[in-house]
Amino acid sequence: MNLKTIASGTATISLTTVRNSQSLTKEVQQRLIALGFQPGSVDGVWGNRTQSAFTAFATRNQLKGDEISPRAAQLLLGIQPRPTQPSTPRPAPSTPAPTVQQPPATPVPVPSAPRFAPATQAIPTGLRAIATDLLIWQMNRITADQRLTRQVQQGLDAMGHNPGPIDGLWGGRTQAGYVAFARAYGFNSNELSPIAALMLLEPAIPRIPVTRPTRSLSAQDFRDVARSIGCEVAAVRAVVDVEAAGSGFLRDGRPKILFEAQWFSEFTNGQFDDSHDDISSPVWNRALYVGGAGEWDRIYRAANLQREAALKSASWGLGQIMGFNHAAAGYRDVESFVRDLHESEGKQLAAMFNFIKSNRLDRFLNNRDWAGFARQYNGESYRVNRYDEKLAAAYNYWLKAA
């Protein structure tokens, strides 16, 4: 099996299968290098650098990061399917037609493939312009522009790569920070690509792709969850209306999170309490929350210090399930839990109700005991917030709407 075989077929190949094939892994590594990613040595071994490079490739092209589809293989090879010919033949011309050169037999290059900005191209005014374009920029042009340098420094600082003062001057610390950033994602540190600019603007966890556009809840998701715990669909919808975090994603496609500094301190034995006191605290402190996309800046910095502890220390998605509760949510480890919750609101919903079932709260839903559910899910404060009344009202609404 090779990339050309996958590209010309209809089957999608899992990364597990790819990893077990040294020749296929080597071919993927060669193509990633040709496309400007950095998978490390072309040795046929699927290590962390190859995974990071493939994740960056998949994110750029809005593909799944755990498989190679025919479309992914085509993009890796730099080809696209030939356009479909019209099914209805055109009428023959009354006069001899001029000779028309036939399309080449070999696949044609993808016209939208990123290319290096020509020397005459004006420097963009900001990272967002680069992130939404197709041009790759040589770093010596970026570093000569104070506005862009300042924005890169801000992104590096948010991710904990310590670029020094955010002053628009590209010094040794900024260079070291950018090299560390590029290494984490498998980018070339001598250039700034659109996906690298996007990551600086919207930090994500390395090796976990962000799905864009986001996949919202469907009616089937609600039916599947209701069937899994044996309750009515209206009960599931009521819980989502009252207890879930609205949409499970931010507008940029990253899951909604809340990073808990006291849990990060707990999981790292307090070793970062003094050096990083805004993300690691021995006691709960409301003032440390940033909210919204700002929570991602916090978790990225924590992940650079201790990845597993950082993932465990945030609440994720619709149900805001803590990472350390991954087993109750149906996952063997926090890495697979976080990866799945990046994929869709459907998977976030399933994790939320796995957690509910693991804590034996499904019996309250089956019996429509809204006070019992609210007490166990929210604590005794449920009376003050009238969660039981809200659940009952939402249930009655969805029962009638069905």
Side-chain angles (χ1 to χ4, degrees):
M1 181 188 300
N2 57 28
L3 285 177
K4 187 173 290 186
T5 303
I6 299 173
S8 60
T10 58
T12 292
I13 309 302
S14 72
L15 278 195
T16 301
T17 301
V18 178
R19 291 188 190 101
N20 291 332
S21 171
Q22 191 172 16
S23 60
L24 185 53
T25 294
K26 188 176 294 185
E27 188 178 7
V28 171
Q29 290 170 330
Q30 290 169 337
R31 294 310 306 160
L32 288 171
I33 289 174
L35 292 173
F37 299 96
Q38 300 295 310
S41 303
V42 181
D43 54 8
V45 178
W46 195 284
N48 287 338
R49 292 188 65 183
T50 301
Q51 180 63 51
S52 296
F54 185 79
T55 296
F57 160 78
T59 302
R60 172 189 287 177
N61 293 288
Q62 298 187 11
L63 301 167
K64 287 187 175 181
D66 58 355
E67 64 183 29
I68 296 184
S69 63
R71 178 61 176 158
Q74 292 162 8
L75 290 172
L76 283 168
L77 291 168
I79 64 177
Q80 65 178 356
R82 273 220 262 154
T84 304
Q85 297 297 324
S87 56
T88 305
R90 297 178 181 177
S94 55
T95 56
T99 302
V100 178
Q101 184 178 358
Q102 295 299 314
T106 54
V108 297
V110 178
S112 61
R115 58 187 177 87
F116 280 98
T120 55
Q121 182 80 17
I123 292 286
T125 57
L127 286 179
R128 184 65 63 182
I130 297 176
T132 55
D133 201 357
L134 296 172
L135 296 175
I136 297 175
W137 295 82
Q138 296 286 356
M139 282 308 295
N140 61 355
R141 299 192 66 190
I142 302 298
T143 60
D145 186 284
Q146 286 197 350
R147 294 168 302 173
L148 283 173
T149 293
R150 186 176 293 108
Q151 290 182 40
V152 172
Q153 289 172 329
Q154 289 170 339
L156 294 174
D157 183 65
M159 290 185 282
H161 287 305
N162 303 320
I166 300 175
D167 54 8
L169 302 177
W170 195 280
R173 291 179 65 181
T174 301
Q175 176 64 23
Y178 189 78
V179 169
F181 158 76
R183 186 181 300 117
Y185 280 106
F187 297 140
N188 187 333
S189 61
N190 294 318
E191 64 188 39
L192 180 66
S193 65
I195 188 62
L198 181 64
M199 290 301 177
L200 286 165
L201 290 165
E202 302 167 6
I205 302 296
R207 304 192 298 279
I208 299 182
V210 174
T211 301
R212 297 185 176 95
T214 56
R215 300 172 187 171
S216 301
L217 286 172
S218 68
Q220 188 60 47
D221 292 327
F222 287 105
R223 288 194 290 270
D224 290 343
V225 166
R227 189 181 305 113
S228 73
I229 66 173
C231 75
E232 299 165 280
V233 171
V236 175
R237 285 189 175 274
V239 172
V240 172
D241 280 1
V242 176
E243 304 288 2
S247 169
F249 292 98
L250 300 173
R251 292 178 63 183
D252 60 36
R254 293 176 290 179
K256 285 184 178 177
I257 66 167
L258 194 63
F259 185 76
E260 304 286 356
Q262 80 278 13
W263 281 111
F264 187 66
S265 175
E266 174 78 15
F267 291 131
T268 57
N269 297 316
Q271 62 178 305
F272 303 111
D273 289 355
D274 293 331
S275 58
H276 298 77
D277 58 1
D278 57 335
I279 57 173
S280 185
S281 172
V283 296
W284 180 77
N285 182 353
R286 181 188 295 275
L288 297 181
Y289 294 127
V290 178
E295 294 295 322
W296 273 91
D297 297 342
R298 301 177 71 214
I299 195 173
Y300 195 100
R301 293 172 56 216
N304 280 338
L305 298 173
Q306 221 292 349
R307 181 185 177 94
E308 183 177 354
L311 301 186
K312 287 181 176 180
S313 300
S315 57
W316 296 87
L318 279 172
Q320 287 295 284
I321 305 299
M322 289 296 301
F324 62 76
N325 281 320
H326 59 81
Y331 292 86
R332 69 182 183 277
D333 55 52
V334 70
E335 190 83 21
S336 56
F337 166 76
V338 171
R339 183 179 296 276
D340 259 18
L341 266 62
H342 273 68
E343 288 192 13
S344 68
E345 285 186 340
K347 291 197 172 182
Q348 294 180 5
L349 183 70
M352 179 182 182
F353 278 83
N354 283 340
F355 177 80
I356 286 172
K357 187 174 182 178
S358 294
N359 286 279
R360 301 183 63 242
L361 304 186
D362 52 325
R363 68 187 192 275
F364 297 114
L365 299 180
N366 293 330
N367 296 326
R368 296 182 294 282
D369 180 358
W370 309 119
F373 179 86
R375 181 186 302 107
Q376 296 297 319
Y377 199 84
N378 301 288
E380 290 299 329
S381 64
Y382 83 94
R383 289 192 182 92
V384 177
N385 295 300
R386 300 167 57 195
Y387 285 128
D388 54 334
E389 297 176 29
K390 293 175 182 177
L391 286 164
Y395 168 77
N396 289 328
Y397 169 82
W398 286 110
L399 199 62
K400 293 174 183 176

